[in-house]
């Protein structure tokens, strides 16, 4: 058993650091490339927003096009092929768009409000039915044009698919750069499309396991800056940070509770990796598991009363369910010789995980009601799945050549895209909740 524990521990706690060390000497900038879309995508045209003479650094319509294309469910019509550029529904000649086989059209215009704010009024029109499906308004400052574009994409996506759009969410991830024999690790936050990357933390020591608070305003993460792993929390607006743990041994895998009042985490301060709860108000740590095996990687269920976690108490790493109040545990996965790093979809039913059936690590989905396991990826060395807050896609880390990249796949495996950096290595993705 000791050999199994050592192998599993090094694989989950140290392998990520070794992969990070492969980074090239450069900052990363994520790029979206759709590799597989829907077999019958909805053809949609996004007419350039009529800007009323206002100059902005962002092309709102191009951002909306990018969002919709990235979902894999839409095929946008190139601007150069458009016969007209209507800014209002009243300006639309449906014949022009039928000639382009468009099923939907987005037309919008920008107007100047008081107090330095701007408003975009846009309409979604059905070319097939020749009618306006929806008209909506969004407003913001000149520096929020990208935010407005993502909001427009969210509204369009939801109106057509019935699923809430997640284009206005954010990503957290870790990059590493190398200069000579020295490495620099960076915790970054960006838009869901990889744009507007912002540095949260830079360190010569490894950074791991970023986790979002329920309101999307804070991150918890593991940093080795003190010479050993420690868990920190950091406010993304004020940059204020607080060290939460400083125990000997392992301090890792933080996971915020749905109400934001507690943090599930893994500590080995008593000699063995176990799941604990940290109550933010009292500062008290409560031990939840007691087993000689390794218990790690907690993730909350939506009810806030149960946790899922990884344990090798059955001989191989598998997913277990824990009742926080009673501490009763139940094994959930039995297929494959390795199931770890659980990430639960918002429906509380679909579980994404790292799965190994033979000798290849892939991302799989597991239905908690039916017990059905589906492999979603076809690459190797896939890890760190994180599910979008609308449950439509999940992101994970994988290898492309000799570099680490982020990739995404729909939970039915019908849509895929990758987010490689221009240079360098990127790992440990975490998809934010819907921002409040």
């Amino acid at each position: 058993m000791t050999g199994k524990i050592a192998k599993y521990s090094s694989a989950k706690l140290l392998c990520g650091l070794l992969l990070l060390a492969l980074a090239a000497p450069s900052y990363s900038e994520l790029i979206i490339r759709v590799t597989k879309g829907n077999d019958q995508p909805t053809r949609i045209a996004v007419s350039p927003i009529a800007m009323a003479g206002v100059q902005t650094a962002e092309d709102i319509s191009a951002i909306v096009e990018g969002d919709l294309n990235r979902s894999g469910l839409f095929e946008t019509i190139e601007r150069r092929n458009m016969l007209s550029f209507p800014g209002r529904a009243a300006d639309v000649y449906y014949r022009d768009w039928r000639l382009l086989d468009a099923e939907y059209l987005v037309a919008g215009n920008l107007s100047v409000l008081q107090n330095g704010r701007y408003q975009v009024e846009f309409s979604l029109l059905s070319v097939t039915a020749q009618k306006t499906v929806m008209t909506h308004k969004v407003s913001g400052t000149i520096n929020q044009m990208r935010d407005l574009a993502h909001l427009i994409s969210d509204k369009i996506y939801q109106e057509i698919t019935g699923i809430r759009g997640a284009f206005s969410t954010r990503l957290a991830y870790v990059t590493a750069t190398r200069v000579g024999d020295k490495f620099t690790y960076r915790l970054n936050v960006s838009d869901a499309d990889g744009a507007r990357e912002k540095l949260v933390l830079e360190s010569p020591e490894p950074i791991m396991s970023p986790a979002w608070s329920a309101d999307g305003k804070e991150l918890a993460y593991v940093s080795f800056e003190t010479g050993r792993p420690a868990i920190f929390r950091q406010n993304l607006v004020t940059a204020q940070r607080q060290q939460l743990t400083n125990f000997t041994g392992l301090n890792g895998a933080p996971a915020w509770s749905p109400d934001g009042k507690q943090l599930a985490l893994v500590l080995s301060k008593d000699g063995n990796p176990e799941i604990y709860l940290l109550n933010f108000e009292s500062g008290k740590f409560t031990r939840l598991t007691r087993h000689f095996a390794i218990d790690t990687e907690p993730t909350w269920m939506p009810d806030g009363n149960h946790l899922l976690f990884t344990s090798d108490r059955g001989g191989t790493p598998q997913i277990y369910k824990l009742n926080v109040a009673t501490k009763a545990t139940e094994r959930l996965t039995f297929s494959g010789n390795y199931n770890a790093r659980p990430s639960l979809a918002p429906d509380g039913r679909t579980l994404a995980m790292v799965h190994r059936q033979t000798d290849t690590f892939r991302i799989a989905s597991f239905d908690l009601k039916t017990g059905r396991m589906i492999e979603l990826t076809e690459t190797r060395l896939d890890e760190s799945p994180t599910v979008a807050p609308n449950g439509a896609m999940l992101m994970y880390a994988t290898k492309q050549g000799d570099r680490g990249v982020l990739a995404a796949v729909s939970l039915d495996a019908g849509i895929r895209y990758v987010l490689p950096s221009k240079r360098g290595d990127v790992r440990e993705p975490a998809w934010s909740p819907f921002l409040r």
Side-chain angles (χ1 to χ4, degrees), residues 44-49 60-62 64-65 68 76-77 79 82 85 97 104-107 152 156:
I44 187 169
V46 183
S47 178
I49 297 293
I60 296 175
S61 300
V64 173
E65 285 183 350
L68 298 178
T76 60
I77 294 173
R79 192 175 298 182
M82 296 180 184
F85 300 132
W97 305 100
Y104 288 94
L105 167 66
V106 179
I152 293 170
I156 294 168

Side-chain angles (χ1 to χ4, degrees), residues 49-51 60 107-111 113 118-123 136-140 145 148-149 152:
I49 297 293
M51 299 299 290
I60 296 175
N109 61 89
L110 180 143
S111 58
L113 303 178
Y118 300 83
Q119 176 179 278
V120 177
E121 180 177 357
F122 66 96
S123 297
H136 193 77
K137 299 176 182 179
V138 294
S139 62
M145 292 297 153
L148 299 187
I152 293 170

Side-chain angles (χ1 to χ4, degrees), residues 70 79 103 111 127 170 198 201 235 274 323 335 351 353 369 409 424:
R70 191 172 75 256
R79 192 175 298 182
E103 298 173 66
S111 58
V127 176
R170 306 174 81 188
K198 293 182 179 179
L201 177 68
N235 187 294
E274 304 283 0
N323 185 304
S335 175
L351 183 65
M353 67 185 72
K369 289 189 177 180
V409 61

Side-chain angles (χ1 to χ4, degrees), residues 135-169:
T135 296
H136 193 77
K137 299 176 182 179
V138 294
S139 62
T141 66
I142 195 70
N143 295 322
Q144 293 176 316
M145 292 297 153
R146 178 168 284 274
D147 298 299
L148 299 187
H150 290 320
L151 286 172
I152 293 170
S153 302
D154 287 338
K155 293 293 183 181
I156 294 168
Y157 182 90
Q158 182 168 0
E159 184 66 34
I160 295 176
T161 69
I163 302 171
R164 184 175 178 180
F167 304 112
S168 296
T169 55

Side-chain angles (χ1 to χ4, degrees), residues 27-44:
Y27 290 89
S28 70
E29 180 180 340
L30 300 181
I31 308 165
I32 304 294
R33 187 170 74 249
V34 178
T35 58
K36 181 182 179 182
N38 191 286
D39 291 337
Q40 294 182 320
T42 299
R43 283 180 59 82
I44 187 169

Side-chain angles (χ1 to χ4, degrees), residues 83 131 135 139 185 198 212 220 253 274 297 306 319 345 357 392 395 421 429:
L83 303 178
K131 68 176 184 179
T135 296
S139 62
Y185 300 87
K198 293 182 179 179
W212 290 88
E274 304 283 0
E297 300 172 344
H306 296 85
I319 307 299
Q357 189 67 39
M395 193 166 292
S421 60

